[in-house]
Amino acid sequence: RHRSTPRLSRFSFLGGRRQKPRRRGEVEGAYVDLYSVRLLLMLLWITLMNVADSFFTLVHLQHGGTEVNPVAGLLLTTGLSSFVLLKSGLISLALVVLCVHKNFHLARLGLWVAAIAYTLLFAYHLSLFGV
């Protein structure tokens, strides 16, 4: 090969060619065309937890609760529908960046932190309901 695989290529969306780098020493920081089912499931979990967070936030606000996250508070000033769309869009953009950079240590750490944080936030929302 004359050059390494680019971050995004036609193979990213139309059936990739490579799931892992060719040589063992190239794993860290390498870009690939295909992504694992495990990564897909993690991304879906984070997305599901983000949607649940938006839903529970709106329910709590309708029952007199307050938003403690200043970024979400700012997004709420745009309206309820805009809040959900903007929040989902921002998180989706971050997930795309983390997915493309999945072979970088910091991106893997970011995915795990996001999954754990959203799971804990989901548990917190459930505790507010007394479940």
Side-chain angles (χ1 to χ4, degrees), residues 5-80:
T5 303
R7 289 182 183 142
L8 290 174
S9 69
R10 68 180 189 266
F11 300 108
S12 299
F13 305 104
L14 301 174
R17 301 178 301 176
R18 184 164 313 246
Q19 202 165 17
K20 296 178 182 177
R22 288 183 196 185
R23 296 166 208 77
R24 291 179 193 249
E26 295 179 347
V27 174
E28 184 64 29
Y31 294 101
V32 294
D33 297 320
L34 297 174
Y35 300 94
S36 68
V37 173
R38 180 178 172 201
L39 177 64
L40 175 66
L41 292 175
M42 182 177 262
L43 294 170
L44 289 174
W45 178 255
I46 294 169
T47 302
L48 178 65
M49 291 295 102
N50 177 51
V51 170
D53 176 44
S54 296
F55 172 76
F56 286 134
T57 296
L58 294 176
V59 169
H60 290 305
L61 291 174
Q62 290 173 348
H63 289 91
T66 58
E67 178 59 64
V68 295
N69 180 345
V71 175
L74 182 65
L75 291 176
L76 279 165
T77 63
T78 64
L80 299 181

Side-chain angles (χ1 to χ4, degrees), residues 54-131:
S54 296
F55 172 76
F56 286 134
T57 296
L58 294 176
V59 169
H60 290 305
L61 291 174
Q62 290 173 348
H63 289 91
T66 58
E67 178 59 64
V68 295
N69 180 345
V71 175
L74 182 65
L75 291 176
L76 279 165
T77 63
T78 64
L80 299 181
S81 297
S82 296
F83 164 73
V84 173
L85 290 174
L86 287 170
K87 184 175 184 298
S88 297
L90 289 172
I91 295 301
S92 297
L93 182 63
L95 289 177
V96 167
V97 170
L98 292 173
C99 177
V100 169
H101 293 88
K102 73 174 191 79
N103 286 333
F104 290 77
H105 175 72
L106 194 57
R108 288 190 303 273
L109 179 64
L111 285 167
W112 278 105
V113 167
I116 291 167
Y118 268 117
T119 302
L120 293 173
L121 187 58
F122 181 74
Y124 172 71
H125 279 297
L126 290 179
S127 74
L128 291 177
F129 283 118
V131 173

